[in-house]
Amino acid sequence: MLKRAFIQLACCIGVFGCCLCSYVNTQNAVTRLRLEIPILSSELNKLKEQNNRLKYEIDLFESPEHLMQLARCSEFSHLKYPTLQEVFTVSETVILPKSPLEKEKSLPTLKWNLAIGAKQ
């Protein structure tokens, strides 16, 4: 009888020890993640700042004043805006499959403007 009670007590202590170890490991993992949050947050803030700086540089580069300066440069002198005679418009009609309840309808025509080439 005493032997059986000792075995039951040992099993209970063993299960309790396993549960305690599992709980401590879970808490360690949570603590590790909590320590990583400020590091990742600062990296995210740095990336947001860099993104804003790059957006500002893109806006400066695409500003009309800068584009006009580039147009005056000799390396871009061959580029020009196409005239109306050089623009070709392609019309396209989209037709959806007909259902028995709908009457035949054609959708509005789509237009695509294409520049057909630059003269040198």
Side-chain angles (χ1 to χ4, degrees):
M1 192 76 169
L2 186 61
K3 204 176 197 183
R4 185 175 173 175
F6 180 72
I7 291 174
Q8 285 180 346
L9 183 63
C11 286
C12 287
I13 291 173
V15 169
F16 178 73
C18 289
C19 289
L20 188 62
C21 285
S22 174
Y23 178 74
V24 168
N25 285 337
T26 303
Q27 287 301 315
N28 286 340
V30 168
T31 303
R32 236 180 276 118
L33 291 175
R34 283 185 181 169
L35 290 175
E36 288 179 13
I37 288 174
I39 296 169
L40 293 175
S41 177
S42 67
E43 286 181 19
L44 179 65
N45 288 337
K46 287 178 187 176
L47 288 174
K48 284 181 179 179
E49 285 180 23
Q50 185 178 11
N51 193 21
N52 286 336
R53 183 184 55 81
L54 291 174
K55 282 182 183 178
Y56 177 73
E57 287 182 18
I58 289 171
D59 289 340
L60 282 180
F61 185 79
E62 292 179 346
S63 70
E65 295 86 19
H66 185 257
L67 293 177
M68 292 305 292
Q69 288 175 356
L70 287 178
R72 288 185 204 108
C73 293
S74 61
E75 57 201 40
F76 299 111
S77 64
H78 67 283
L79 299 174
K80 66 180 184 76
Y81 192 78
T83 61
L84 286 177
Q85 291 82 17
E86 295 172 339
V87 174
F88 182 69
T89 302
V90 178
S91 298
E92 176 183 13
T93 304
V94 178
I95 300 175
L96 296 175
K98 298 179 217 172
S99 67
L101 301 176
E102 283 185 25
K103 294 183 180 178
E104 184 176 322
K105 291 182 179 178
S106 65
L107 293 177
T109 303
L110 300 174
K111 293 187 178 184
W112 302 88
N113 293 330
L114 304 171
I116 56 174
K119 297 179 184 175
Q120 292 183 356

